[in-house]
Amino acid sequence: MTSELDIFVGNTTLIDEEVYRLWLDGYSVSDAVALRVRAGILEQTGATAAVLQSDTMDHYRTFHMLERLLHAPPKLLHQLVFQIPPSRQALLIERYYAFDEAFVREVLGKKLSKGTKKDLDDISAKTGITLKSCRRQFDNFKRVFKVVEEMRGSLADNIQQHFLFSDRLARDYAAIVFFANNRFETAKKKLQYLSFGDFAFCAELMIQNWTLGAVGEAPSKPDSQVDDMDMDLDKEFLQDLKELKVLVADKDLLDLHKSLVCTALRGKLGVFSEMEANFKNLSRGLVNVAAKLTHNKDVRDLFVDLVEKFVEPCRSDHWPLGDVRLFLNQYSVTVHSLDGFRHQALWDRYMDTLRGCLLRLYHD
Amino acid sequence: MPGKLKVKIVAGRHLPVMDRASDLTDAFVEVKFGNTTFKTDVYLKSLNPQWNSEWFKFEVDDEDLQDEPLQITVLDHDTYSANDAIGKVYIDIDPLLYSEAATVISGWFPIYDTIHGIRGEINVVVKVDLFNDLNRFRQSSCGVKFFCTTSIPKCYRAVIIHGFVEELVVNEDPEYQWIDRIRTPRASNEARQRLISLMSGELQRKIGLKVLEMRGNAVVGYLQCFDLEGESGLVVRAIGTACTLDKLSSPAAFLPACNSPSKEMKESPLAHPPSHGCRSTHNSPIHTATGSRLTQNFSVSVPTLIYTGMGSGSAGKEGGPFKALLRQQTQSALEQREFPFFTLTAFPPGFLVHVGGVVSARSVKLLDRIHNPDEPETRDAWWAEIRQEIKSHAKALGCHAVVGYSESTSICEEVCILSASGTAAVLNPRFLQDGTVEGCLEQRIEENLPAGCGFCHIPYDELNMPFPAHLTYCYNCRKQKVPDVLFTTIDLPTDATVVGKGCLIQARLCRLKKKAQAEANATAISNLLPFMEYEVHTQLMNKLKLKGMNALFGLRIQITVGENMLMGLASATAVYLAALPMPGGIQIAGKTPSDGSYEQHISHMQKKISDTIAKNKELYEINPPEISEEIIGSPIPEPKQRSRLLRSQSESSDEVTELDLSHGKKDAFVLEIDDTDAMEDVHSLLTDVPPPSGFYSCNTEIMPGINNWTSEIQMFTSVRVIRLSSLNLTNQALNKNFNDLCENLLKSLYFKLRSMIPCCLCHVNFTVSLPEDELIQVTVTAVAITFDKNQALQTTKTHIEKSLQRASTDNEELLQFPLELCSDSLPSHPFPPAKEHLESARSNSGIPAAQRDRCSSWIELIKLKAQTIRRGSIKTTVTVEKASPMGEGNFRNRSAPPCANSTVGVVKMTPLSFIPGAKITKYLGIINMFFIRETTSLREEGGVSGFLHAFIAEVFAMVRAHVAALGGNAVVSYIMKQCVFMENPNKNQAQCLINVSGDAVIFVRESELEVISTQQPTANCQQSCAGGEVTT
């Protein structure tokens, strides 16, 4: 006796969260059944393995049918075939587009191309996430990227509107899209200690301040047809950053900056002497990072540079986070007192974001 | 009255990409009605076209309006080649033809293609203007309302229940026409869909005409079926109950025969004296001459007698020309009718007086080509013959009517089994005549009878029983005789006194048969049928005993014929009726008690069975009042006494008794283990696993013993097909496979729905088909309803209070019965001692106590049922009326469950006639849809499971869309009447036909109603639901 056909169709589509998770995690039906058995479901419910098998198959089939709709979430809302309560719809979408920290760290900043897709085997082997799940996550990133790529307006808002994500998930995806678009290097060994959250935090700050969208009606280019307002860094701004070089190139200015900072922080900093000794190096590091951002290659290395030039030196001197904050605040504020320096606004736009990023990046 | 049909095509969305180059579609729409076609403009390059067309107007006869569906075809415009069809929408405009239903159809309809399934949606608005025309000779029947619901619909009152209406139309099946060889599968499927749509329209119109002739205005319990006879044609047939219905002005005022127990039972702490319909019929002896006839037709056993109905002896051959049988006119209004049948399963209060038992008839026919579609006489004659037989069976039971009546067919190649079944009953004639009903309610209250047991009392003459049965005095009123078991096809009457809870019982059976041709085949089948009926019966009886219960409701026996086997599946809801005697246990007897180890084995089995009974009693909370041994008698029968008794009793039907004797030792109570088969049977008895805790199941509308439903419902359809390996084709292996299939299916359902616990599967409807040699297909549709566990306790308490109150109110009006009687319904002290003596004395003299348990089960069940019905309905009416002035308060008391799903566009579906926690405020019309889906890429669509899963989901979607477009938010009395699935994996092909129907309604949650009800209940709630109805 073999079951040729075995289906269950409810007027309201039944969604088993547990099975959905297993499906999303890319387990085959038999693996999923085994995992459910291990979770003790048979004992809890008194069901037999055959029942579990049939149930799992059924859910998998439903999810498979829903997957097409999940690729364009608004379709899920308007379709008539599956009657699903709104809260369940939200859950389906949110979980489908959720991603694994380990996975996202692997592909963050990489081009979402066929080439990267080929590497998914390696990523799967490395992270222990099933290849199927890797593919889904990768395809999700790519799909969102494709849809919002050409759109004007806020990146996170666009994503939310077209994929009906929660706030949080939309912001995460904005970061992923932003990183993919600007191809920031995140995979270097030095950067391994950073979490996706750290990068997402930085991405948000950068989107807010460093992109074309950030300037809003940017006075410089009032009616230019810029499509990717939030996706691309403001080229003009990056160009202008070269002007900051004077802060380290002009020796007098650098000395003045240092003495002002030291005066202000004396007695307030546990690592004052180290700071004093390192000031010029640190300042040079931060300003040079800015000055280099005109080249695409250097933009990609932004995080590597920040960690190399600032985070690591401070960390090797055991600066506490509080001291780093005090220092960075003072360091950026003091520039306003430098009479010879004319690019105050530019400096603020650069430094406000950078300060936020650095504080986030500064941890073990 | 001709009319003007107006259609407007608004927009489309989610259309498929038809032009690969642009990834877009140039869509336009053809609107066709009859022979007239209109087209919209082509909307270029869009998947979401906005046609916003003018109003297309069709001027048509109302006859066409009733017959024809509106056909909307969406196409992709192609300059150079033929336009590609995207898909179609068929809209049945019938609901627009009567004034009280929908006024406009407007909404998004899925665009359906028989090859690709749903491909986007289209927004359509449809209106009808009817012109009045008083032509007496008209062919149309606009204005007659149709309901699938098998009880009087919620917001109506039955003025008169006229009776049975039936009709059938036949045609050639397009699939078997020569042209089918040259046209595409799509064209063929669409021709079929269209034809069936036309035929059902025509059928409905013709039935409507009959109703008008009878001066009715509605058909209730309308059941329409298709017989796909293959080469020989396509038959669409329908039966129903003609009624004159009155719309109730206020929905809160009165709910006739309402099945939502949460309503009546709880609203009515004050119960009225339950009263009796017409008692005279009860005593009037009705003799039957049918006994001999029955035996002649291989009639078999005790309970089967009523059942046997092995229809025509001419099985295997086409029935001869139908002779109109002369019926003796009797006094009863009913008997003047050709067929006093009613498709209803629940009744207005006072309607049902006594219940006799299940009557059924089957007949095997050979199909031949229908030569002249305009004269479907052969098929008509076949059915007339069967109905006649049913009628005579009912007479044999002393009943003049059949309720809960239904008909079905099973076809395999050219052999067709026609089946009909129902419950013989005695009805109150007042409902059946003009003008008498008005005063009926008041009158009934004056008459009095003990509550909830009247319907169980036997309608036939004690000395002239149609079958051997064991009678006792009613355990409730002690006045009338009741049988010891009662089988019926109707729902449990709302006022029946039930002990504990009920449960679903199934008997399953397979029988191999040789492959044969034509007459030999038909003969083989008809030879097998009586044995199957008998065995199904024995199984039912044994399982009933095993549950410790004494009555079956909603009994439905389905016999399915296949190439090389017959399948029997009986489902029913078992309950313990307080009016019937306590069932005895099951005794196992070995035939050769020589072997010691065998003995041991037997005793082991016996213990197991006894344990199971005890466990079941606990599980279903069956603790009937203790009654002394004398009355109950020992569960083990004494054959000698019994046979003597039977002889003495049987006067007119000797043969029957004799036949029965041969089964005497083998009846329900003693299981003789004489061979391995019997062993198997006993084993299979014990393999049925009860549902997990928190789960109940039944196949009736409501679960006896549960009456505190909360609002969560989940309707579902589950289909399973198994392939038998040809090696193990023995009856035994087959039985086991089939049994496992059903059991596993149920287990899966329990598992799937575990998040709804505590809940009950209601209206569990199994359908078996044998699509191919080694395939068995089982389709289940049911609804899971949650209930509140805590409230259950309270209700049992109120039940007691109720009966107490009943007792006290009875005092004033009771003339015939001593006061003590009323307290009988109290479980705590059954009857006063004095009376008990009397009873036991009487029963001893009349019928030996020992036998009572054994053989009278059948009748007693029957009687119990009758009583319950009567009592139930009366109680409800009265209480609801009482409750209405303070309705609000009552509503509030019932915890209104959180109704979060007032969201846009949700359409509930349920096979029940009500929606828990809600009131139906308007019936919008009948939904009757037929779909075909075919694929030539089975593997790509996920195999057979993927294919069928998607199709059923699409069918649900289309039903919901039509309901929403009518302005409704639910389908009640939903039924999937057919699900024919065929596959050819080698060719990567599959085809499926599905036919569904139901009533589109608007419902309002009681919690919402409460808010509104302060002012104008009706107007307001209708507004509110119309408002909440905005669909996406």
Side-chain angles (χ1 to χ4, degrees):
Chain A
M1 182 177 92
T2 47
S3 254
E4 283 273 300
L5 186 158
D6 179 3
I7 56 162
F8 175 99
V9 190
N11 183 36
T12 305
T13 306
L14 281 183
I15 308 288
D16 186 308
E17 288 183 44
E18 179 65 21
V19 183
Y20 190 46
R21 195 179 55 71
L22 293 169
W23 178 74
L24 289 174
D25 286 347
Y27 292 107
S28 67
V29 173
S30 51
D31 289 348
V33 170
L35 284 166
R36 292 180 84 186
V37 169
R38 219 170 300 154
I41 193 158
L42 294 186
E43 289 77 17
Q44 287 161 31
T45 58
T48 62
V51 165
L52 200 61
Q53 169 83 22
S54 139
D55 178 70
T56 312
M57 283 283 282
D58 213 73
H59 283 302
Y60 266 55
R61 200 166 39 241
T62 308
F63 298 143
H64 184 73
M65 286 192 263
L66 286 170
E67 190 165 19
R68 188 177 52 87
L69 298 165
L70 283 165
H71 289 168
K75 269 194 188 164
L76 184 70
L77 258 65
H78 292 122
Q79 54 84 31
L80 302 175
V81 178
F82 302 96
Q83 186 160 268
I84 305 170
S87 62
R88 287 265 137 176
Q89 286 179 343
L91 176 126
L92 282 172
I93 296 168
E94 200 77 3
R95 295 263 176 96
Y96 188 78
Y97 283 91
F99 48 81
D100 289 305
E101 167 85 23
F103 177 80
V104 74
R105 279 296 281 109
E106 290 297 323
V107 295
L108 193 64
K110 285 197 180 134
K111 197 174 172 189
L112 299 174
S113 63
K114 289 228 169 69
T116 314
K117 197 167 180 181
K118 278 186 194 134
D119 299 338
L120 290 180
D121 303 35
D122 300 337
I123 294 176
S124 167
K126 187 176 164 193
T127 56
I129 298 163
T130 60
L131 183 59
K132 225 173 165 183
S133 176
C134 289
R135 290 220 176 103
R136 173 183 58 82
Q137 298 183 41
F138 181 80
D139 290 343
N140 283 345
F141 295 167
K142 195 168 171 181
R143 189 175 314 113
V144 174
F145 185 92
K146 286 269 175 216
V147 168
V148 300
E149 192 179 21
E150 309 278 301
M151 278 178 194
R152 302 177 65 95
S154 155
L155 191 54
D157 287 355
N158 284 338
I159 292 173
Q160 194 160 24
Q161 199 187 331
H162 286 87
F163 289 91
L164 312 172
F165 292 165
S166 67
D167 248 18
R168 176 71 220 265
L169 191 63
R171 271 186 279 143
D172 284 351
Y173 265 83
I176 291 165
V177 168
F178 184 72
F179 266 65
N181 189 50
N182 292 291
R183 314 267 298 280
F184 292 112
E185 174 63 67
T186 64
K188 282 266 163 62
K189 209 175 167 203
K190 286 191 166 91
L191 302 180
Q192 283 310 309
Y193 78 98
L194 292 170
S195 70
F196 170 72
D198 297 335
F199 287 118
F201 180 85
C202 299
E204 203 174 341
L205 286 180
M206 287 156 80
I207 291 169
Q208 273 166 19
N209 297 312
W210 288 4
T211 60
L212 273 177
V215 223
E217 51 280 64
S220 48
K221 289 182 161 189
D223 39 27
S224 65
Q225 292 297 320
V226 201
D227 279 330
D228 339 337
M229 304 266 288
D230 261 7
M231 297 264 283
D232 292 328
L233 294 171
D234 182 351
K235 287 268 153 50
E236 208 163 310
F237 162 68
L238 297 183
Q239 208 65 40
D240 291 347
L241 284 177
K242 270 193 214 155
E243 306 292 339
L244 300 182
K245 232 177 168 174
V246 70
L247 283 174
V248 287
D250 185 330
K251 203 167 178 314
D252 294 342
L253 215 52
L254 182 61
D255 286 338
L256 182 58
H257 192 185
K258 178 182 173 183
S259 66
L260 285 172
V261 171
C262 290
T263 317
L265 291 178
R266 191 180 305 274
K268 292 183 187 153
L269 226 52
V271 288
F272 184 79
S273 53
E274 289 89 338
M275 187 276 288
E276 199 170 17
N278 263 329
F279 182 87
K280 284 184 180 171
N281 275 339
L282 293 175
S283 184
R284 235 176 247 130
L286 294 176
V287 173
N288 283 338
V289 165
K292 283 200 308 182
L293 286 179
T294 36
H295 306 289
N296 275 341
K297 162 96 184 51
D298 294 312
V299 171
R300 286 180 204 170
D301 283 339
L302 175 68
F303 290 94
V304 183
D305 290 343
L306 290 181
V307 169
E308 252 174 25
K309 301 278 155 54
F310 185 84
V311 175
E312 283 183 345
C314 297
R315 202 158 48 191
S316 65
D317 285 341
H318 305 291
W319 290 35
L321 184 60
D323 286 1
V324 176
R325 181 175 292 116
L326 276 176
F327 168 73
L328 283 175
N329 284 346
Q330 206 55 48
Y331 176 74
S332 57
V333 168
T334 318
V335 170
H336 295 292
S337 323
L338 298 176
D339 291 336
F341 187 67
R342 287 176 297 121
H343 308 284
Q344 302 293 353
L346 185 67
W347 171 255
D348 281 349
R349 187 175 172 193
Y350 172 67
M351 206 50 211
D352 282 356
T353 299
L354 201 70
R355 186 178 59 207
C357 293
L358 287 172
L359 287 172
R360 179 72 191 224
L361 299 179
Y362 190 82
H363 63 82
D364 289 329
Chain B
M1 57 186 166
K4 194 187 272 177
L5 170 69
K6 299 190 290 180
V7 183
K8 183 181 181 136
I9 306 295
V10 182
R13 66 182 183 197
H14 304 148
L15 295 189
V17 170
M18 299 299 283
D19 178 4
R20 280 281 147 229
S22 65
D23 265 7
L24 289 168
T25 296
D26 303 326
F28 71 101
V29 182
E30 277 183 11
V31 185
K32 188 176 174 193
F33 189 82
N35 294 318
T36 318
T37 306
F38 291 101
K39 281 181 192 177
T40 65
D41 298 334
V42 177
Y43 196 92
L44 290 171
K45 301 199 184 311
S46 171
L47 299 182
N48 300 293
Q50 303 290 322
W51 292 290
N52 232 332
S53 79
E54 55 183 308
W55 284 99
F56 299 124
K57 291 174 187 141
F58 302 85
E59 287 175 0
V60 280
D61 281 353
D62 50 350
E63 193 179 330
D64 286 341
L65 279 175
Q66 283 191 296
D67 288 5
E68 293 270 348
L70 175 67
Q71 184 179 320
I72 294 167
T73 313
V74 186
L75 298 115
D76 177 50
H77 177 75
D78 213 324
T79 321
Y80 302 108
S81 59
N83 298 327
D84 296 321
I86 295 173
K88 289 192 183 225
V89 180
Y90 291 96
I91 300 177
D92 179 10
I93 46 172
D94 212 50
L96 296 179
L97 301 183
Y98 35 91
S99 49
E100 288 158 49
T103 54
V104 62
I105 300 178
S106 164
W108 288 100
F109 291 88
I111 302 168
Y112 180 72
D113 177 70
T114 59
I115 306 293
H116 293 103
I118 290 178
R119 306 170 96 188
E121 291 120 37
I122 184 169
N123 195 320
V124 180
V125 186
V126 185
K127 286 181 179 171
V128 171
D129 292 335
L130 283 178
F131 314 124
N132 267 319
D133 171 12
L134 298 171
N135 179 4
R136 282 197 312 136
F137 305 105
R138 59 188 195 166
Q139 288 298 299
S140 84
S141 55
C142 288
V144 174
K145 291 182 281 285
F146 284 79
F147 300 92
C148 294
T149 303
T150 57
S151 55
I152 302 303
K154 293 299 129 56
C155 36
Y156 291 93
R157 189 178 66 102
V159 180
I160 310 165
I161 297 173
H162 299 283
F164 193 57
V165 279
E166 48 78 30
E167 186 63 79
L168 65 79
V169 292
V170 296
N171 211 317
E172 262 186 286
D173 191 336
E175 184 107 336
Y176 294 88
Q177 285 164 342
W178 67 269
I179 195 173
D180 204 57
R181 293 179 194 186
I182 54 167
R183 64 181 164 195
T184 61
R186 176 181 285 123
S188 168
N189 291 339
E190 284 175 0
R192 259 179 133 182
Q193 285 194 166
R194 203 181 118 72
L195 178 69
I196 290 193
S197 189
L198 260 172
M199 286 170 78
S200 28
E202 184 191 340
L203 192 70
Q204 214 167 312
R205 175 173 56 83
K206 286 186 169 172
I207 292 237
L209 279 173
K210 289 192 173 181
V211 172
L212 290 177
E213 246 166 61
M214 297 166 95
R215 299 176 168 226
N217 64 3
V219 181
V220 180
Y222 184 68
L223 177 70
Q224 183 190 297
C225 291
F226 302 97
D227 296 330
L228 301 167
E229 296 185 349
E231 288 284 332
S232 62
L234 186 61
V235 176
V236 185
R237 56 189 166 80
I239 54 175
T241 305
C243 295
T244 302
L245 298 183
D246 241 9
K247 189 148 173 71
L248 294 169
S249 46
S250 149
F254 177 67
L255 298 153
C258 196
N259 290 314
S260 159
S262 64
K263 249 166 248 169
E264 289 76 39
M265 298 208 167
K266 296 181 69 202
E267 275 171 20
S268 52
L270 300 173
H272 248 235
S275 47
H276 219 270
C278 54
R279 290 205 44 215
S280 58
T281 39
H282 182 81
N283 293 326
S284 72
I286 298 168
H287 294 269
T288 62
T290 43
S292 56
R293 179 179 155 76
L294 283 169
T295 37
Q296 185 188 42
N297 299 328
F298 348 90
S299 303
V300 221
S301 60
V302 194
T304 0
L305 187 143
I306 330 178
Y307 249 118
T308 38
M310 234 326 288
S312 56
S314 66
K317 283 160 207 162
E318 197 195 322
F322 169 65
K323 286 173 244 155
L325 290 169
L326 290 171
R327 306 304 312 170
Q328 281 190 334
Q329 300 277 315
T330 57
Q331 288 157 341
S332 161
L334 269 176
E335 300 201 357
Q336 289 162 13
R337 289 160 217 260
E338 189 182 12
F339 297 116
F341 296 172
F342 300 85
T343 54
L344 303 178
T345 58
F347 309 92
F351 185 72
L352 198 62
V353 181
H354 298 298
V355 169
V358 171
V359 287
S360 80
R362 287 179 211 283
S363 123
V364 183
K365 300 290 184 191
L366 276 182
L367 300 172
D368 61 347
R369 190 170 274 279
I370 300 168
H371 295 292
N372 183 1
D374 293 330
E375 289 176 21
E377 277 162 348
T378 325
R379 304 301 188 273
D380 267 338
W382 287 355
W383 285 111
E385 202 176 277
I386 291 225
R387 288 171 194 145
Q388 208 58 53
E389 193 154 349
I390 289 277
K391 192 175 169 185
S392 65
H393 288 329
K395 279 208 115 187
L397 286 174
C399 296
H400 57 229
V402 176
V403 294
Y405 180 73
S406 66
E407 294 175 349
S408 63
T409 58
S410 172
I411 297 173
C412 179
E413 301 293 322
E414 77 264 88
V415 173
C416 173
I417 303 183
L418 310 183
S419 311
S421 73
T423 304
V426 173
L427 305 178
N428 185 340
R430 281 196 185 115
F431 283 89
L432 309 165
Q433 287 154 4
D434 286 318
T436 44
V437 183
E438 298 302 322
C440 193
L441 199 71
E442 296 88 302
Q443 280 176 15
R444 245 184 305 115
I445 293 170
E446 287 160 29
E447 302 171 27
N448 29 60
L449 243 210
C453 64
F455 80 93
C456 307
H457 301 164
I458 52 165
Y460 35 84
D461 182 9
E462 197 180 324
L463 292 174
N464 200 2
M465 286 192 293
F467 46 85
H470 202 104
L471 304 181
T472 44
Y473 281 97
C474 174
Y475 276 55
N476 197 15
C477 67
R478 295 273 141 203
K479 279 289 170 192
Q480 306 289 332
K481 292 280 179 69
V482 294
D484 62 352
V485 273
L486 185 60
F487 284 17
T488 72
T489 59
I490 55 174
D491 272 343
L492 182 73
T494 31
D495 61 347
T497 316
V498 172
V499 177
K501 295 192 168 66
C503 70
L504 180 73
I505 279 191
Q506 284 194 321
R508 305 154 187 146
L509 187 67
C510 305
R511 276 274 179 268
L512 286 170
K513 96 181 164 53
K514 290 227 168 67
K515 281 192 190 180
Q517 291 301 310
E519 305 206 352
N521 194 17
T523 313
I525 292 169
S526 50
N527 285 341
L528 271 174
L529 281 179
F531 295 100
M532 294 197 61
E533 297 252 11
Y534 173 68
E535 257 183 69
V536 161
H537 245 242
T538 316
Q539 258 191 52
L540 281 176
M541 194 65 95
N542 287 337
K543 287 189 176 175
L544 182 65
K545 297 291 168 196
L546 203 63
K547 299 283 185 215
M549 301 182 192
N550 58 16
L552 290 184
F553 288 91
L555 176 61
R556 186 167 164 267
I557 302 182
Q558 198 198 353
I559 304 269
T560 311
V561 59
E563 284 273 280
N564 57 347
M565 60 177 113
L566 284 174
M567 310 282 277
L569 179 65
S571 307
T573 302
V575 294
Y576 187 108
L577 287 177
L580 299 196
M582 184 144 67
I586 296 178
Q587 189 79 15
I588 295 191
K591 213 166 197 179
T592 48
S594 51
D595 190 353
S597 69
Y598 184 69
E599 279 281 272
Q600 207 176 5
H601 182 70
I602 293 288
S603 67
H604 178 66
M605 297 285 280
Q606 177 70 59
K607 188 174 176 300
K608 249 175 132 176
I609 286 182
S610 307
D611 287 353
T612 312
I613 294 179
K615 224 191 288 165
N616 279 330
K617 281 190 176 174
E618 197 176 321
L619 184 63
Y620 299 108
E621 299 159 27
I622 299 171
N623 338 291
E626 288 286 320
I627 296 165
S628 72
E629 268 297 298
E630 271 171 278
I631 296 174
I632 290 189
S634 84
I636 309 145
E638 295 150 57
K640 267 187 201 165
Q641 265 182 331
R642 181 156 181 266
S643 59
R644 181 163 40 87
L645 171 87
L646 288 168
R647 282 243 165 76
S648 69
Q649 277 190 347
S650 61
E651 287 168 8
S652 68
S653 51
D654 278 330
E655 291 101 326
V656 179
T657 341
E658 229 116 54
L659 256 176
D660 171 63
L661 275 179
S662 65
H663 289 282
K665 294 165 212 149
K666 231 183 168 182
D667 76 352
F669 292 85
V670 182
L671 287 180
E672 215 172 301
I673 304 187
D674 46 2
D675 56 13
T676 41
D677 270 8
M679 208 57 172
E680 283 295 314
D681 291 348
V682 176
H683 273 298
S684 71
L685 261 189
L686 295 169
T687 50
D688 283 8
V689 193
S693 79
F695 257 113
Y696 293 92
S697 55
C698 61
N699 75 336
T700 46
E701 282 248 309
I702 47 157
M703 177 66 169
I706 299 178
N707 42 21
N708 39 347
W709 306 110
T710 49
S711 64
E712 200 188 336
I713 65 171
Q714 166 73 292
M715 188 282 295
F716 59 85
T717 292
S718 185
V719 184
R720 269 191 196 190
V721 176
I722 57 160
R723 185 177 289 280
L724 305 157
S725 67
S726 48
L727 295 174
N728 63 2
L729 282 185
T730 62
N731 274 335
Q732 257 180 44
L734 212 54
N735 275 335
K736 187 175 180 314
N737 277 334
F738 184 40
N739 220 11
D740 287 351
L741 171 59
C742 295
E743 282 294 313
N744 287 338
L745 189 46
L746 280 172
K747 275 185 211 159
S748 274
L749 297 182
Y750 297 139
F751 182 76
K752 283 231 171 259
L753 298 163
R754 63 193 186 283
S755 64
M756 292 179 78
I757 284 178
C759 91
C760 179
L761 297 186
C762 293
H763 213 285
V764 179
N765 188 6
F766 273 69
T767 315
V768 184
S769 53
L770 300 164
E772 271 173 58
D773 264 17
E774 282 141 18
L775 294 184
I776 304 179
Q777 178 191 328
V778 175
T779 310
V780 184
T781 299
V783 62
I785 311 183
T786 53
F787 63 90
D788 187 344
K789 217 165 192 171
N790 301 325
Q791 282 187 340
L793 297 170
Q794 293 172 1
T795 46
T796 51
K797 220 197 272 169
T798 50
H799 212 67
I800 295 171
E801 279 167 26
K802 216 189 287 175
S803 43
L804 264 173
Q805 249 152 352
R806 188 194 304 139
S808 59
T809 32
D810 275 355
N811 286 354
E812 302 147 36
E813 290 161 75
L814 273 178
L815 304 170
Q816 293 166 276
F817 300 98
L819 263 183
E820 315 94 88
L821 248 177
C822 318
S823 56
D824 281 4
S825 52
L826 273 179
S828 45
H829 32 97
F831 2 84
K835 196 155 176 287
E836 202 167 288
H837 280 294
L838 202 130
E839 282 295 321
S840 56
R842 209 188 288 169
S843 68
N844 280 342
S845 62
I847 310 152
Q851 288 152 11
R852 188 182 309 163
D853 263 356
R854 202 167 103 193
C855 50
S856 63
S857 48
W858 193 252
I859 305 185
E860 250 165 340
L861 264 183
I862 295 168
K863 282 192 171 173
L864 253 181
K865 186 157 208 185
Q867 234 167 4
T868 331
I869 290 176
R870 194 184 305 136
R871 186 219 255 171
S873 37
I874 288 164
K875 194 198 296 166
T876 41
T877 351
V878 174
T879 49
V880 173
E881 279 180 353
K882 281 228 158 180
S884 56
M886 38 180 196
E888 259 183 281
N890 281 327
F891 286 153
R892 213 167 276 144
N893 288 347
R894 207 168 319 115
S895 76
C899 45
N901 37 13
S902 51
T903 37
V904 201
V906 172
V907 175
K908 300 224 169 203
M909 291 169 75
T910 172
L912 308 180
S913 65
F914 66 98
I915 290 169
K919 275 207 152 65
I920 293 172
T921 55
K922 195 173 182 187
Y923 281 80
L924 299 166
I926 199 167
I927 296 277
N928 188 6
M929 299 168 96
F930 177 80
F931 298 103
I932 302 179
R933 179 86 153 79
E934 188 166 345
T935 183
T936 49
S937 52
L938 189 57
R939 270 186 298 277
E940 295 75 3
E941 292 190 36
V944 286
S945 295
F947 170 72
L948 194 59
H949 191 148
F951 183 37
I952 292 179
E954 287 177 344
V955 168
F956 286 1
M958 288 184 277
V959 170
R960 288 192 301 254
H962 277 78
V963 172
L966 285 170
N969 55 5
V971 190
V972 297
S973 300
Y974 166 82
I975 176 173
M976 184 178 282
K977 289 177 294 193
Q978 225 142 16
C979 178
V980 183
F981 178 71
M982 288 156 288
E983 56 167 326
N984 189 342
N986 297 329
K987 284 189 177 168
N988 206 19
Q989 290 175 344
Q991 192 191 33
C992 186
L993 294 80
I994 286 182
N995 178 212
V996 296
S997 65
D999 295 325
V1001 300
I1002 298 176
F1003 73 87
V1004 183
R1005 291 246 161 259
E1006 272 166 12
S1007 48
E1008 293 164 30
L1009 205 63
E1010 192 182 315
V1011 181
I1012 303 159
S1013 63
T1014 32
Q1015 293 113 7
Q1016 291 176 316
T1018 335
N1020 275 355
C1021 61
Q1022 277 180 1
Q1023 262 169 22
S1024 85
C1025 37
E1029 251 337 278
V1030 193
T1031 47
T1032 43

